[in-house]
Amino acid sequence: MATRTAEELLALGLRDRWYPLCPSGTVNRGELTRIERAGEKLLLWRDSAGVVHVQEDRCPHRGARLSLGVHMGDRVACNYHGVQVDGDGVVVSVPGSPGCALEGRRALRTFPAEEHAGAVFAWFGLDEAAEPTPLQLPDPIAGGEWDTFPCYVEWDAPYGYSLDNLLDPMHGAFLHRNSHTMFGGKREAVFQIRAIDDGFVFEKTDQRGVNFDWVQLTDAGAQWVTLDIPYPDTAGPGGAFTIVAALCAINETQHAAFFWRCRKVSGWERDSWRVLYRNRLEARHWAVLEQDREMAEAMPLDAWDRENLYQHDIALVRMRRLLRSEARRQAAALAAPAAAPAPAAPVPAPTR
């Protein structure tokens, strides 16, 4: 991939990570879909078996947009000169010059892709040829006893602002104080960070199960944020309302996000929960999310440069330190030459 600075990686997302790109329903059979994610212009399409493919939206011939081309079942044809590329990025036909050297070459960057929990995921690797780390889903969106409603948004704010917001449990008692679930509890707290495998938990030391009282960040091939919101008995069976969030930068000033809304229910309780959620609770949760959107989009782009943090923000400090360290490492890896060239032979001085 192209060289990026550490600051660019912080703004657009670390590499060697899986990111959720869009809802599965965004990519329809027989259509070519163009999106921008992690600073990359992407083409998404499904082959004749319905398998989704994620590729660079750039014809390997002259760089025209493949998304302006023709869907041909198991290949895509560029509309500029008809060059045809398959789901592995291999040029399978050059109609204008059959048998030319471009045919048979894997010439289009193709991103490993999977679909889970109603979302299309893609792997953005430092090394385009390396195999991705297996995508490990958090339990609440992996199926089983959990039931899930995906919630997808696109906001006009840097993705780091949403990550900050998720790692800030204290804002629940203020910004969301009129919510049907986050009206209770104290408006002051002391927090602690507890290390776990591949991440940490940020939690209040003197309150649990009352408001937005803890959050967990996991970074193991994908960045996941998990939190619980207490539910009253009137919200039906299943205990606490769990949110699993994953973010993906679109560019430096916009991002996409999934907030999977989950409860641990099965059988008749699952049916009851789904009816209750759709008819009564979903609109309330969108109202809460809208409060977060308004706050994030109204923040200035230099907010990080002019902030003054305190004890409630120690999770932000920890998270940013981890991301910056990895961004510097990845930027150095991208900048390093693949192999050091042999020193040039000295040029003899001219003779007279």
Side-chain angles (χ1 to χ4, degrees):
M1 64 168 289
T3 299
R4 293 192 186 277
T5 66
E7 290 303 314
E8 287 173 330
L9 289 168
L10 282 174
L12 297 173
L14 298 175
R15 306 296 128 154
D16 286 347
R17 299 291 190 279
W18 289 95
Y19 287 104
L21 305 184
C22 61
S24 291
T26 301
V27 190
N28 299 311
R29 288 187 183 230
E31 297 181 2
L32 303 177
T33 301
R34 175 183 170 89
I35 65 173
E36 182 180 4
R37 295 293 184 271
E40 307 278 358
K41 306 295 192 298
L42 301 175
L43 166 69
L44 279 65
W45 59 284
R46 295 185 185 277
D47 60 26
S48 58
V51 176
V52 69
H53 299 279
V54 178
Q55 299 177 307
E56 188 177 10
D57 190 14
R58 183 179 186 278
C59 179
H61 172 219
R62 293 266 299 280
R65 282 174 52 175
L66 282 175
S67 58
L68 296 176
V70 181
H71 191 297
M72 301 183 65
D74 290 320
R75 61 183 68 177
V76 174
C78 179
N79 223 20
Y80 201 13
H81 297 91
V83 173
Q84 299 173 20
V85 185
D86 68 12
D88 293 322
V90 176
V91 177
V92 294
S93 177
V94 181
S97 182
C100 75
L102 186 56
E103 287 188 343
R105 282 180 53 196
R106 188 170 185 174
L108 178 65
R109 185 176 185 190
T110 299
F111 300 79
E114 297 183 12
E115 290 187 82
H116 301 281
V120 176
F121 291 83
W123 170 264
F124 292 79
L126 279 176
D127 182 351
E128 298 177 18
E131 288 295 314
T133 298
L135 176 57
Q136 299 179 2
L137 302 176
D139 287 344
I141 64 171
E145 294 182 294
W146 289 87
D147 191 48
T148 302
F149 288 95
C151 166
Y152 174 77
V153 300
E154 294 181 15
W155 289 354
D156 293 327
Y159 99 100
Y161 288 7
S162 275
L163 195 54
D164 284 351
N165 184 69
L166 287 164
L167 291 175
D168 171 23
M170 204 64 218
H171 86 270
F174 292 89
L175 182 61
H176 307 312
R177 60 187 177 275
N178 294 321
S179 162
H180 70 295
T181 54
M182 285 180 278
F183 59 85
K186 301 177 181 179
R187 293 197 182 180
E188 66 281 338
V190 176
F191 286 88
Q192 67 179 10
I193 290 180
R194 177 164 48 89
I196 59 171
D197 292 342
D198 302 313
F200 61 84
V201 175
F202 184 54
E203 57 194 352
K204 296 175 183 176
T205 60
D206 57 351
Q207 180 174 290
R208 192 78 167 197
V210 179
N211 203 302
F212 176 10
D213 295 331
W214 65 271
V215 62
Q216 176 177 312
L217 173 68
T218 306
D219 191 345
Q223 294 173 345
W224 305 102
V225 179
T226 307
L227 58 99
D228 271 358
I229 303 297
Y231 252 11
D233 293 339
T234 55
F241 178 63
T242 297
I243 296 175
V244 174
L247 313 174
C248 183
I250 296 175
N251 49 46
E252 292 88 345
T253 61
Q254 297 175 304
H255 70 279
F258 275 89
F259 301 93
W260 286 274
R261 297 158 171 184
C262 318
R263 288 192 93 179
K264 198 170 187 179
V265 286
S266 58
W268 70 267
E269 290 187 337
R270 175 174 298 195
D271 296 335
S272 174
W273 147 247
R274 293 190 70 83
V275 171
L276 183 62
Y277 182 82
R278 284 298 194 198
N279 290 282
R280 185 172 168 187
L281 301 174
E282 184 174 24
R284 299 179 184 180
H285 295 148
W286 276 108
V288 170
L289 202 57
E290 182 66 8
Q291 293 173 336
D292 289 323
R293 183 196 65 79
E294 289 179 349
M295 198 60 61
E297 291 190 348
M299 291 178 67
L301 294 178
D302 66 347
W304 283 10
D305 298 328
R306 302 175 62 184
E307 63 191 3
N308 295 278
L309 305 180
Y310 53 91
Q311 202 270 344
H312 292 176
D313 304 311
I314 57 176
L316 277 59
V317 174
R318 171 73 67 90
M319 175 267 296
R320 293 178 190 175
R321 185 182 299 129
L322 292 172
L323 295 186
R324 285 195 176 101
S325 176
E326 179 62 10
R328 287 192 292 267
R329 186 196 70 79
Q330 292 190 5
L334 289 171
V347 177
T351 57
R352 297 188 179 218

